[in-house]
Amino acid sequence: MIDNDKQRLNKDVVILGGGMVGAATAIGLAQLGLTVALVEAFEPKAFSPEQPLDLRVSAISVASEQLLERLGALDTIATMRQVAYKGLETWELDGFITQFHSDQIGVSHLGHIVENRIVQLALWQAFEQHDNLTLICPAKAEQFIRIDDGIRVQLDNQMIINTRLLIGADGANSQVRQWAGIGITGWDYAQSAMLINIETETAEQDVTWQQFTPKGPRSLLPLPGNNASLVWYDDANRIAQLSNLSHQALTEQIKLHFPDRLDKGFKVIDHGSFKLTRRHAQRYYDDNVVILGDAAHTINPLAGQGVNLGFKDAAALIDCFTDAITHRQCWWHQDLLAKYQAKRYRDNQLMMSTMDLFYASFSNDLLPLKLLRNSALKIANIDSPIKQKVLKYAMGF
């Protein structure tokens, strides 16, 4: 439902940001019977099978898939395009590899690689099942004003919405977070990542792999059909230089700097880049305000956990609301929002710190440290209860 006609609305919840995490949160709260307004500036482009694959893809974990199924979006994703991945492999030196596979814990797959837009589209299609969910698009927030036990949101289309709770799912530069005065800690990594879609001679793959180098990892994510996504992490200036190359020249650079296991008969189709940053909000809530997803945290993408952390945020917030509504409690008060923060803050912090540790460790080329970390990778490859726990964590559990 796209509604720009009514000029004044009263809603239980207003969510700013209709990306994957914001859309998931909107459906989850609508399923609880709350009236929800979702405000988004841009409508995602419709899907057709002939379209080239998008550069922005995510490794959707099994836990995230379970949330998407509850929200009525998982089957829709399957009707568009995705590819299951069964294996995760990482190494630095040949012979010191850690390999995880779904067979080791008796499951069919570890997750799916899906274009971000397709996940968003599937969620947007699920909006139609909820008359109490109003999508307002295109629109942007111009002003927030505190009112009695709530917030008034003024949009750029002159619409005014009064709400009990304002949810910021509006990305790393969150307008909601800044307005609420929620500070952030973090830094830039002085690195960028280049995303490169390639067409391969090899048939569809089911393993995602990553080789560490002192300059940054080189990764492959399988895509549907004879396609794959390469991720090249490097110094920001180096990535800027690579971005200016022709497809043929970039192909030659990839052949020089990626591991030999990469299919050499590939062809570059598209590429783009982004800077690596770490940001973590000092808290996740304020009076009648809560933030989640990239508005609350951005993480080094080494393990591809960004959107999965966002979906965990959404699931935790929905669970908190469910409990409050069941026990006839005020779901918009700080006590409830504090429970949501308690569920998510430490888990997010742990994942962010773990990725930073990997980043720092593998960026150091000192021989003793290199031998130590490669020995650790080889030990980690031994089938053990610890390895199974790591696998389950990779699946989001």
Side-chain angles (χ1 to χ4, degrees):
M1 298 171 290
I2 299 180
D3 185 349
N4 278 342
D5 296 327
K6 297 178 182 178
Q7 293 304 301
R8 288 182 178 270
L9 296 174
N10 291 304
K11 297 291 182 180
D12 292 325
V13 178
V14 171
I15 301 174
L16 202 63
M20 295 182 286
V21 174
T25 305
I27 297 171
L29 299 185
Q31 287 177 335
L32 297 177
L34 299 175
T35 57
V36 179
L38 180 65
V39 180
E40 171 56 43
F42 304 102
E43 184 175 358
K45 182 180 178 182
F47 172 77
S48 68
E50 299 78 20
Q51 291 169 339
L53 289 151
D54 295 342
L55 283 170
R56 291 283 189 170
V57 301
S58 293
I60 304 297
S61 70
V62 172
S64 294
E65 290 178 1
Q66 291 180 354
L67 173 64
L68 291 168
E69 184 173 26
R70 281 168 43 198
L71 301 176
L74 191 64
D75 288 344
T76 306
I77 292 172
T79 65
M80 290 185 272
R81 57 190 180 202
Q82 61 180 5
V83 60
Y85 64 95
K86 299 181 178 181
L88 297 167
E89 300 181 7
T90 186
W91 76 97
E92 182 180 19
L93 300 177
D94 291 339
F96 295 84
I97 190 170
T98 298
Q99 298 171 302
F100 299 100
H101 200 278
S102 58
D103 291 346
Q104 294 170 330
I105 52 175
V107 296
S108 61
H109 62 284
L110 302 179
H112 281 82
I113 308 296
V114 193
E115 295 154 80
N116 292 359
R117 177 176 58 95
I118 285 178
V119 178
Q120 184 187 13
L121 280 169
L123 288 163
W124 279 42
Q125 289 184 30
F127 293 167
E128 298 173 4
Q129 306 303 315
H130 304 282
D131 292 337
N132 54 330
L133 197 169
T134 302
L135 173 63
I136 305 171
C137 176
K140 297 180 180 179
E142 284 192 337
Q143 189 178 26
F144 307 110
I145 302 171
R146 292 199 177 276
I147 56 177
D148 291 341
D149 203 17
I151 293 173
R152 176 170 294 156
V153 182
Q154 171 74 56
L155 303 182
D156 62 354
N157 60 7
Q158 304 307 307
M159 183 179 289
I160 294 173
I161 315 173
N162 293 332
T163 185
R164 293 283 195 183
L165 185 68
L166 174 63
I167 297 179
D170 49 341
N173 298 314
S174 171
Q175 186 181 2
V176 173
R177 185 190 67 226
Q178 294 178 43
W179 173 76
I182 298 174
I184 58 173
T185 58
W187 54 83
D188 294 334
Y189 289 102
Q191 274 203 328
S192 293
M194 189 173 193
L195 307 175
I196 310 163
N197 281 0
I198 62 172
E199 183 181 299
T200 64
E201 292 180 342
T202 308
E204 185 173 281
Q205 303 170 65
D206 63 6
V207 173
T208 177
W209 52 255
Q210 181 167 255
Q211 182 184 28
F212 288 100
T213 80
K215 292 288 188 179
R218 310 285 185 261
S219 307
L220 178 141
L221 290 78
L223 294 177
N226 287 44
N227 297 284
S229 171
L230 303 181
V231 190
W232 186 333
Y233 301 82
D234 214 310
D235 174 84
N237 291 329
R238 173 64 168 149
I239 294 299
Q241 178 190 45
L242 291 169
S243 298
N244 290 323
L245 296 179
S246 67
H247 284 184
Q248 183 56 46
L250 179 58
T251 297
E252 296 306 314
Q253 287 297 310
I254 293 169
K255 290 178 179 179
L256 285 173
H257 295 282
F258 269 67
D260 290 339
R261 68 180 293 173
L262 177 63
D263 172 8
K264 298 305 181 184
F266 70 88
K267 179 171 66 174
V268 171
I269 302 300
D270 195 10
H271 63 81
S273 65
F274 60 94
K275 292 183 178 180
L276 304 185
T277 60
R278 183 198 201 272
R279 300 286 185 271
H280 200 190
Q282 294 172 354
R283 63 185 191 279
Y284 290 174
Y285 68 94
D286 196 60
D287 291 338
N288 304 96
V289 175
V290 67
I291 58 175
L292 70 171
D294 283 354
H297 45 77
T298 59
I299 185 173
N300 192 308
L302 281 177
Q305 288 299 307
V307 70
N308 292 314
L309 293 183
F311 281 141
K312 281 186 173 182
D313 292 348
L317 188 64
I318 294 165
D319 287 346
C320 287
F321 272 60
T322 303
D323 187 62
I325 291 170
T326 300
H327 293 92
R328 300 183 182 277
Q329 298 171 344
C330 294
W331 43 263
W332 63 91
H333 280 183
Q334 282 208 9
D335 289 348
L336 181 281
L337 303 181
K339 289 180 181 178
Y340 155 69
Q341 176 171 289
K343 283 176 174 283
R344 295 301 308 137
Y345 200 95
R346 289 185 179 178
D347 184 60
N348 288 333
Q349 185 75 41
L350 176 62
M351 178 58 77
M352 296 170 79
S353 298
T354 300
M355 292 304 98
D356 287 343
L357 180 62
F358 270 93
Y359 174 83
S361 173
F362 283 93
S363 296
N364 193 311
D365 206 27
L366 291 173
L367 182 59
L369 184 58
K370 180 180 286 191
L371 293 174
L372 178 64
R373 66 193 181 223
N374 279 275
S375 296
L377 286 174
K378 191 165 187 176
I379 293 171
N381 199 41
I382 299 172
D383 196 12
S384 67
I386 294 176
K387 186 174 184 179
Q388 291 189 358
K389 286 183 178 179
V390 172
L391 258 174
K392 288 181 179 179
Y393 193 80
M395 294 171 66
F397 301 120

